[in-house]
């Protein structure tokens, strides 16, 4: 029953796209739980624009055309008011095409920094404040200069590598660059290539379970003792999947860490445990991003007074600010502005080192 005494037809329907299969499938249980927590918190208040919100999660781990076809069919009903996404950029581009600015679409994971159509709101990190910033921090603080890159073969890893290359004063500091299919169990000649020995560190632009497999293989070679890794697509699920022995010298940038020193970090973890108990999927940096996406929709809708995409676009152009449980936020164009951090893996947990953006 609606908390506001309304029929379901009077609710705000949010479509959440999260991978339930493929390398990103390891994140699904914690993401779905975090989305549910955010929705329940919003509905205990006044909902969005005074209306109860309802969330539906669909599988974003399928081929992009299949995800886009389902989204298109659901949009055609007129019953979808907003979309949030935690999935690959390849899926985002396909979904953005079929959405065509009809409803706001909050993308809550790091991206490649390319232009997006109206209505696509980037809550996740731009390369300059994420992977690129992490690489420059590691050079400045640890003297890591020469890099090898291993990535999945789609737009986000390739464009992120280009952004990294553009940021380096000496492009020869990238000594090896290889791409493998999503879900790959074999990393080609990466581990046997002689140029890997020239690298001080490795930028790991793989996804989910692929990062787990890579980290295990990397640790088994003994390279983790001397070569660092920076992996923007790793969260606590990845650390647990690899095991503590696979995580030595692993660094991860994110704006979604849940640390007791950050706003609402301790209390959010406590609310999550209260709702789901001690044996629920962990509330991780990635699932926290999906939580933030739901609250960003609420905050932005309340600030604008509407979920109408043209109204949101006009508000973005005038520097709209909105409230979230993490504090006040704003946008620069369609890119959310909020602090990012770098953490080091310690066993199966993260220790925050520094703010990098």
């Amino acid at each position: 029953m609606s908390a506001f005494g309304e029929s379901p037809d009077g609710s705000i329907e949010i479509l959440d796209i999260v991978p339930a299969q493929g390398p990103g499938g390891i994140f699904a249980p914690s993401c779905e739980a975090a989305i549910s927590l955010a929705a329940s918190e919003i509905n205990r208040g006044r909902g969005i624009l005074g209306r109860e919100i309802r969330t539906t999660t669909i599988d974003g781990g399928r081929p992009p055309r299949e995800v886009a076809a389902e989204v298109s069919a659901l949009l055609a009903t007129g019953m979808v008011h907003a979309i949030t996404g935690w999935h690959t950029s390849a899926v985002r581009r396909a979904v953005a095409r079929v959405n065509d600015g009809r409803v706001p679409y909050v993308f809550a994971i790091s991206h490649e920094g390319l232009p997006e159509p109206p209505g696509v709101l980037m809550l996740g990190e731009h390369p300059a404040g994420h992977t690129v910033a992490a690489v420059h921090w590691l050079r400045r603080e640890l003297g890591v200069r020469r890099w090898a890159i291993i990535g999945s073969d789609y737009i986000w890893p390739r464009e992120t590598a280009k952004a990294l290359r553009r940021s380096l004063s000496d492009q020869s500091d990238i000594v090896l660059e290889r791409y493998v299919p999503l879900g790959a169990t074999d990393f080609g000649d990466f581990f046997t290539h002689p140029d890997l020995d020239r690298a001080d560190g490795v930028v790991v632009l793989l996804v989910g379970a692929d990062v787990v497999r890579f980290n295990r293989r990397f640790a088994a070679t003994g390279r983790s003792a001397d070569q660092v890794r920076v992996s923007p697509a790793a969260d606590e699920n990845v650390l647990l999947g690899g095991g503590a022995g696979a995580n030595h010298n692993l660094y991860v940038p994110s704006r979604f860490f849940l640390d007791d020193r950050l706003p609402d970090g301790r209390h959010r973890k406590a609310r999550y445990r209260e709702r789901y108990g001690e044996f629920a999927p962990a509330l991780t940096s990635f699932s926290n991003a999906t939580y933030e996406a739901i609250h960003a929709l609420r905050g932005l809708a309340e600030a604008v007074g509407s979920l109408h995409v043209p109204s949101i676009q006009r508000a973005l152009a005038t520097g709209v600010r909105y409230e979230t449980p993490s504090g006040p936020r704003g946008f620069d164009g369609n890119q959310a502005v909020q602090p990012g951090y770098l953490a080091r893996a310690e066993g199966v947990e993260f220790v925050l080192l520094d703010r990098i953006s």
Side-chain angles (χ1 to χ4, degrees), residues 18-222:
V18 175
Q21 59 185 289
I26 64 171
F27 306 119
S30 56
C31 286
E32 290 179 16
I35 289 167
S36 180
L37 174 64
S40 69
E41 291 175 351
I42 290 169
N43 283 336
R44 283 200 301 271
R46 64 181 301 270
I48 292 180
L49 302 173
R51 298 162 66 183
E52 180 184 25
I53 68 170
R54 294 160 57 95
T55 63
T56 299
T57 302
I58 68 168
D59 179 11
R62 296 167 293 169
R65 65 182 181 280
E66 292 183 18
V67 181
E70 182 173 4
V71 171
S72 180
L74 291 169
L75 286 168
T77 68
M79 296 176 63
V80 174
H81 300 94
I83 301 170
T84 72
W86 192 98
H87 47 70
T88 68
S89 290
V91 169
R92 184 194 74 244
R93 289 164 68 87
V95 170
R97 281 194 295 271
V98 299
N99 179 46
D100 195 26
R102 283 184 279 184
V103 301
Y105 178 14
V106 179
F107 188 67
I109 190 172
S110 59
H111 57 91
E112 53 282 354
L114 297 176
E116 297 293 330
V120 180
L121 307 173
M122 298 309 224
L123 196 66
E125 301 94 341
H126 187 284
H130 192 238
T131 307
V132 170
V135 163
H136 285 270
W137 187 96
L138 289 163
R139 178 169 186 165
R140 183 177 67 250
E141 300 295 329
L142 302 183
V144 182
R145 178 180 174 183
R146 293 179 300 275
W147 292 93
I149 296 174
I150 180 72
S152 300
D153 192 7
Y154 73 100
I155 185 172
W156 170 68
R158 288 188 175 274
E159 290 296 327
T160 300
K162 289 179 185 178
L164 177 57
R165 191 181 295 277
R166 288 193 298 267
S167 79
L168 298 173
S169 57
D170 186 349
Q171 296 193 12
S172 66
D173 285 344
I174 296 179
V175 299
L176 178 63
E177 189 171 348
R178 290 290 185 270
Y179 297 92
V180 296
L182 279 165
T185 57
D186 179 3
F187 299 100
D189 70 346
F190 186 80
F191 283 104
T192 59
H193 199 288
D195 284 344
L196 183 57
D197 294 332
R198 299 172 51 215
D200 304 313
V202 180
V203 180
V204 184
L205 300 175
L206 303 168
V207 176
D210 295 356
V211 184
V212 172
R213 285 189 290 272
F214 180 86
N215 284 344
R216 288 175 176 168
R217 176 85 178 273
F218 192 85
T221 67

